[in-house]
Amino acid sequence: MTTLLYEDFARAYVTEVGEAVRRMLTRHAEAVGLLARATAGGGEIRAFGNGGSSAIVRSALLQLHAQAGVPVNDAMMSPATLAYTAQRDEFRTAFARSLARDIDRVDLVVVASVSGRSANILEAVRLCAEHRVPVLALVGGDGTQMELADGMVWASGTTDQQISEDAMLTVLTLAAALGPGTQPLPARAERHLHALAAVDTELLGAFLREATEEVADAIRNRRRIYVLCPDGGPLALVGEHFAHNLRWDAPLGVDGVQSPLVVCDPSLADMSAILNDHPDPAHGVRHQLSSAGLEDVVFLLAYDSAGRTTREAVNAATVAGTRPFLLHRDGPGRSGAGARHFRLPRVDDFALGALVQSLAHLLCRTTRATLTADSAAALSPDDLMARDLAPLRELSDTPFL
């Protein structure tokens, strides 16, 4: 695939995300009202999602807690707890059972589901109806596939899985900025949409082409792919989604392609041990990259490329002989450390996550196209735009708005 193809695809995709965000923002006042009433009540806000939606709702809860001091408990359980619960009961009821334990303290439940039909989400929504707990439901399509007793269905207006997820994360991030001193949502939204439109798709096309070639080669040859966020925060949650895209979504349904070896940020068990033994935040990523080998691919998600932790991560990746790619907002656009950089427009820490998630989805689609047996050279931007994962998963067939 040519660099121009990547550039044209990136421009088309980013434009579609912007249009979906604008559609959703027509109902921003209702969503902000739900969140504001819940925070004023002093109760908890809980949230649920599957797959990438899990990272999306947890990012919003992290923001509510960090900026507005809201007590949150997202109940997105650890893998160990989730597997244990699913085996003894069933995954369909896992979220509802977690919510039922203290639903009397809950003032709002946020759910995200592109299909709007995930059984475990619907079980949680039914429980909320029984206890008259309002729900903010972000879904794909026109939203008619989900009914609520109280609350709001916030529809993306598209059944495209990745574009829906990007729009959901963006509007939820904008709506959840409820802390003191924050601007009204329309002003924040306009600033974010301006940043989205300002993404340099020419540079992004070149970055995407190189990253796609390296990731596809790593998957074919069973080399490791690292997705790390040395500084944590909302980028680490997006990094979890990024790794999910490469590990699960990129090879989904592609004949003869095994699930790749993807290493992402440490688990809670690892991180607590690392910080207890070595209070230097850079130690964790250095430790992870000590296992990297020649031609492994490393994605580093950073707020500031000039920050010490990021510089040490880039150096560790370079010394190991890997192929490092750095996505960042601040700092120089290039360095002598050998990493391929892409600098994103200026937005706050949480909005930055939404931009990085879109780049992860772009990479997921171009990697899928490269891994398939058909001729990648014959693809067009329209072909890449049509490579949505929703039909593969038999997700929503609701109409576009």
Side-chain angles (χ1 to χ4, degrees):
M1 289 189 282
T2 66
T3 299
L4 182 60
L5 172 59
Y6 287 102
E7 180 184 341
D8 289 345
F9 169 49
R11 184 179 299 110
Y13 185 92
V14 169
T15 299
E16 286 293 321
V17 171
E19 290 179 358
V21 169
R22 287 187 186 279
R23 281 194 300 269
M24 296 187 77
L25 284 172
T26 60
R27 299 188 65 195
H28 75 269
E30 190 177 349
V32 171
L34 274 173
L35 289 164
R37 286 192 295 275
T39 60
E44 291 186 359
I45 297 178
R46 304 285 291 272
F48 302 94
N50 297 302
S53 297
S54 163
I56 288 170
V57 295
R58 282 183 290 139
S59 179
L61 289 176
L62 174 62
Q63 181 176 215
L64 286 168
H65 181 66
Q67 295 183 346
V70 178
V72 298
N73 180 355
D74 65 342
M76 301 305 295
M77 297 167 284
S78 71
T81 303
L82 190 59
Y84 186 81
T85 303
Q87 288 182 71
R88 275 149 185 77
D89 301 297
E90 55 179 308
F91 189 56
R92 183 180 61 83
T93 60
F95 293 163
R97 289 172 65 85
S98 171
L99 180 61
R101 286 196 293 269
D102 51 6
I103 197 167
D104 291 340
R105 298 202 307 265
V106 177
D107 283 351
L108 178 68
V109 170
V110 180
V111 298
S113 170
V114 176
S115 71
R117 297 193 178 101
S118 298
N120 53 358
I121 297 294
L122 295 179
E123 287 286 339
V125 168
R126 277 194 286 269
L127 182 66
C128 289
E130 292 172 7
H131 291 265
R132 298 183 179 179
V133 174
V135 174
L136 175 59
L138 294 97
V139 302
D142 66 358
T144 56
Q145 70 273 41
M146 182 177 284
E147 294 183 1
L148 300 179
D150 185 16
M152 167 187 176
V153 176
W154 208 359
S156 69
T158 174
T159 54
D160 184 298
Q161 181 182 324
Q162 287 80 45
I163 291 173
S164 281
E165 288 182 346
D166 291 346
M168 287 175 183
L169 177 58
T170 301
V171 298
L172 199 52
T173 295
L174 293 171
L178 298 176
T182 56
Q183 289 183 307
L185 189 141
R188 297 196 305 271
E190 200 54 45
R191 187 170 66 247
H192 184 84
L193 287 167
H194 178 76
L196 188 64
V199 171
D200 190 326
T201 52
E202 182 177 354
L203 292 178
L204 177 55
F207 180 93
L208 194 57
R209 178 180 182 179
E210 188 172 342
T212 300
E213 291 171 351
E214 294 293 350
V215 167
D217 189 59
I219 291 174
R220 291 189 187 106
N221 292 287
R222 307 299 292 161
R223 291 196 294 272
R224 283 172 292 228
I225 302 168
Y226 292 77
V227 181
L228 305 173
C229 179
D231 293 319
L235 277 186
L237 288 167
V238 172
E240 179 186 312
H241 193 169
F242 198 136
H244 167 71
N245 288 155
L246 296 180
R247 179 188 297 117
W248 186 259
D249 289 348
L252 183 65
V254 180
D255 291 338
V257 176
Q258 294 178 277
S259 178
L261 306 167
V262 181
V263 180
C264 55
D265 283 310
S267 67
L268 177 61
D270 286 339
M271 181 58 75
S272 59
I274 289 166
L275 293 177
N276 185 55
D277 296 339
H278 299 271
D280 176 6
H283 176 76
V285 72
R286 286 198 307 265
H287 178 72
Q288 284 188 291
L289 289 172
S290 66
S291 66
L294 289 174
E295 299 187 343
D296 286 349
V297 178
V298 178
F299 289 96
L300 297 169
L301 314 181
Y303 305 98
D304 184 358
S305 65
R308 184 179 70 84
T309 305
T310 301
R311 286 188 284 107
E312 292 200 21
V314 171
N315 289 337
T318 304
V319 167
T322 70
R323 307 291 177 88
F325 293 85
L326 178 62
L327 287 166
H328 62 104
R329 175 192 60 198
D330 303 322
R334 297 182 181 276
S335 75
R340 163 69 81 169
H341 287 242
F342 184 73
R343 185 167 56 194
L344 289 152
R346 290 281 303 176
V347 290
D348 66 36
D349 286 358
F350 286 91
L352 179 63
L355 297 180
V356 172
Q357 179 176 285
S358 289
L359 267 62
H361 281 149
L362 284 165
L363 179 60
C364 176
R365 290 201 186 189
T366 54
T367 299
R368 281 186 59 77
T370 302
L371 291 173
T372 53
D374 54 6
S375 173
L379 287 172
S380 69
D382 288 342
D383 294 324
L384 290 169
M385 286 298 295
R387 286 178 177 256
D388 172 28
L389 289 177
L392 284 177
R393 288 176 166 160
E394 298 181 353
L395 292 179
S396 175
D397 59 356
T398 55
F400 289 74
L401 290 180

